[in-house]
């Protein structure tokens, strides 16, 4: 209560309206021997708000998940433009978006754009940047023993990159290269001598 010009006033305190719709409070004043008096307080809604932070998350090449923070007074939906990155579908008010991403097996980084939408307000976009996988290269077996007759044999290549192959022996020709997992074929001529030879 407070006094102005000798008159006693009662104050109505109210919380912030963080919703976008107006709201009404009914106030009833009672006194003995007289009818109740009813007044109302109408509070307008807040402006529509939607923001997402941070603008980008950098993550490793391994599978995992990360979060983005949403500040809003609206219902919102979320979409990712990358099939390898799944996100929380929707929410209401302030909340958290969880982005779950698969392992990046490529040797180049990749980017997912995440769009958060709410009615009557511009979309908000953030990104998830996933690091490239380290380059991998393995060839098996380490040696193939073959007969003196001409022929061919196969080595297995396991890789996530483009690769080249060459033989230092003129009598042994190999697949010149490939991409990712594949086979390396070695074609060799007959050995006319009595001594073994190595390519």
């Amino acid at each position: 209560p407070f006094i102005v010009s000798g008159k006693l006033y009662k104050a109505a305190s109210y919380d912030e309206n963080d919703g976008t719709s107006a709201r009404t409070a009914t106030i009833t004043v009672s006194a003995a021997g007289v009818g109740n008096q009813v007044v109302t307080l109408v509070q307008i809604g807040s402006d529509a708000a939607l923001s997402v932070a941070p603008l980008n998350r950098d993550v490793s090449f391994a599978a995992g998940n990360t979060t983005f923070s949403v500040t809003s007074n609206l219902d919102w939906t979320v979409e990712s433009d990358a099939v390898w990155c799944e996100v929380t579908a929707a929410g209401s008010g302030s909340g958290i978006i969880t982005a779950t991403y698969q392992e990046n097996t490529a040797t180049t980084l990749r980017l997912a754009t995440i769009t958060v939408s709410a009615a009557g307000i511009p979309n908000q976009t953030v990104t998830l940047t996933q690091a490239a996988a380290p380059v991998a290269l393995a060839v098996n077996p380490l040696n193939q023993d073959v007969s003196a007759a001409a022929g061919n044999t196969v080595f297995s290549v396991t890789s996530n990159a483009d690769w080249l192959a060459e033989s230092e022996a003129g009598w042994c020709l190999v697949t010149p290269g490939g991409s990712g997992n594949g086979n390396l074929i070695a074609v060799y001529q007959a050995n006319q001598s009595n001594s073994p030879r190595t390519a």
Side-chain angles (χ1 to χ4, degrees):
F2 57 96
I3 298 174
V4 176
S5 301
K7 292 185 178 180
L8 179 65
Y9 292 86
K10 296 286 188 178
S13 299
Y14 46 89
D15 296 332
E16 179 183 357
N17 182 4
D18 54 11
T20 57
S21 300
R23 59 186 181 180
T24 301
T26 301
I27 303 168
T28 302
V29 183
S30 303
V34 66
N36 293 345
Q37 297 293 304
V38 178
V39 295
T40 57
L41 184 147
V42 179
Q43 186 181 31
I44 64 172
S46 299
D47 292 336
L50 178 65
S51 63
V52 188
L55 294 179
N56 178 72
R57 289 281 194 195
D58 290 316
V59 298
S60 76
F61 73 93
N65 62 71
T66 189
T67 59
F68 295 86
S69 177
V70 178
T71 303
S72 184
N73 54 5
L74 304 166
D75 296 336
W76 40 268
T77 58
V78 189
E79 289 185 354
S80 167
D81 69 347
V83 295
W84 52 267
C85 178
E86 296 182 356
V87 292
T88 306
S92 183
S94 296
I96 297 294
I97 297 169
T98 300
T100 302
Y101 46 89
Q102 300 170 10
E103 180 183 2
N104 184 7
T105 57
T107 56
T108 54
L109 63 79
R110 59 186 180 179
L111 185 78
T113 299
I114 298 166
T115 303
V116 185
S117 305
I121 196 166
N123 293 345
Q124 300 293 302
T125 58
V126 293
T127 54
L128 184 149
T129 304
Q130 189 174 29
V135 177
L137 179 65
V139 183
N140 287 294
L142 296 179
N143 180 72
Q144 294 274 27
D145 290 321
V146 296
S147 70
N152 64 73
T153 189
V154 178
F155 295 85
S156 176
V157 179
T158 304
S159 183
N160 58 358
D162 296 339
W163 46 269
L164 301 174
E166 61 179 328
S167 167
E168 45 74 48
W171 52 268
C172 177
L173 301 177
V174 295
T175 306
S179 182
N181 297 335
N183 290 325
L184 171 64
I185 300 174
V187 179
Y188 48 90
Q189 300 172 4
N191 186 0
Q192 306 292 343
S193 74
N194 293 325
S195 301
R197 59 184 179 180
T198 301

